[in-house]
Amino acid sequence: MKKSNLIRNIVAVAAAAVHFVPFYIAITVALKPRTDFSSRWSLPSEINLENFAYAINRARILDAMRDSAIITVASVLLVALLGAMAAYPLARMKNRFNAVILKIVLGVMMIPPLSMLVPLVTLMSDINGISTYWGIICVLVTFQLPLSIFMYSNFIEAIPRELDEAAEIDGCSKFMIFYRIILPLLKPVTATVVILTGVFIWNDYQFSLYILQSPRLRVVTLAVSSFFGQSSSNLGAAAACALIAVVPVIVVYIALQRYFVRGMIDSAGK
């Protein structure tokens, strides 16, 4: 047992170190001036905050974070609400039709999103959804709903049906059963859905690049990519921009961490 615990600890430390390396390099690059061509592994001789000021003033990273926050919050709310409402009847009503729907939902998760990019952009252009909040929100919600429905349906299946029957005896409708009985029990899986979909939407680049074509509406990923050009790249400002953009994600994950782990285990096991 001691040997196995030691091996697990070594593997855990190694995995943590591998994941920390990009953050370490980003921090060292962001704190160095553009004239410093020393190794990216070496610590800066003095702390330089010019790259952070450049990212805030020239790249408008704070404005980009505001746009990303609006898109992320609206999309996550819709994904969680619609996913839970769709998963409840699919999990409670066992028939061939619902079984087919669940298989279709699982199949949609296997389709690469970029394979539908051309018809998707054409459709959004026809309905005037390009460079709008509602356009990018509709696209992101559409591609994140299958994961939400899949996780919610697995979790709801483990909730005893006797709770529904007792609520029906008390005179509750199906909607009231879901709202008052089922929904409060979905906190762990909801935290998991919020983190998984929120991180994906916050870090989305492929859809934002084609749907958000107007410079007045730009998310954090597009702000970071603006520092990379064909002739030259400002790596220091890009690193500072990325570090500023990752702070909200870390804060949300820390706040929902205990629910996230529980929701992942329950959704996978149930």
Side-chain angles (χ1 to χ4, degrees), residues 8-201:
R8 282 198 296 266
N9 292 335
I10 293 175
V11 173
V13 171
V18 170
H19 285 83
F20 179 74
V21 165
F23 289 99
Y24 171 78
I25 294 178
I27 292 172
T28 58
V29 173
L31 295 178
K32 293 179 180 180
R34 297 190 66 178
T35 55
D36 189 345
F37 297 101
S38 60
S39 173
R40 296 188 178 95
W41 291 90
S42 61
L43 293 172
S45 56
E46 59 181 20
I47 297 178
N48 182 16
L49 300 179
E50 292 181 359
N51 291 322
F52 291 92
Y54 189 90
I56 294 174
N57 298 326
R58 297 292 298 274
R60 298 186 297 114
I61 183 59
L62 297 182
D63 294 338
M65 291 177 66
R66 179 202 60 202
D67 293 336
S68 289
I70 294 174
I71 295 170
T72 302
V73 171
S75 300
V76 168
L77 289 176
L78 288 173
V79 168
L81 180 61
L82 296 178
M85 294 179 65
Y88 177 63
L90 293 175
R92 281 294 190 252
M93 301 172 60
K94 293 297 183 181
N95 52 53
R96 292 184 178 180
F97 179 76
N98 284 349
V100 172
I101 295 298
L102 285 174
K103 290 180 181 179
I104 293 175
V105 170
L106 185 60
V108 171
M109 295 172 58
M110 307 301 173
I111 300 176
L114 287 179
S115 63
M116 295 179 283
L117 186 60
V118 174
L120 181 63
V121 173
T122 303
L123 174 62
M124 297 306 297
S125 178
D126 292 339
I127 62 177
N128 298 322
I130 300 296
S131 297
T132 60
Y133 282 121
W134 68 265
I136 187 64
I137 289 172
C138 287
V139 171
L140 295 171
V141 169
T142 300
F143 282 93
Q144 291 301 303
L145 262 179
L147 175 62
S148 175
I149 295 173
F150 177 75
M151 296 191 68
Y152 274 118
S153 61
N154 287 343
F155 193 91
I156 294 175
E157 285 182 357
I159 299 177
R161 294 176 180 269
E162 288 76 11
L163 294 176
D164 299 37
E165 297 172 356
E168 288 180 354
I169 294 174
D170 291 338
C172 291
S173 62
K174 292 293 184 182
F175 178 79
M176 295 302 295
I177 293 173
F178 171 77
Y179 180 74
R180 292 187 175 183
I181 307 299
I182 303 299
L183 193 59
L185 299 176
L186 301 180
K187 289 182 181 180
V189 68
T190 299
T192 304
V193 171
V194 168
I195 291 177
L196 292 179
T197 59
V199 170
F200 177 87
I201 294 171

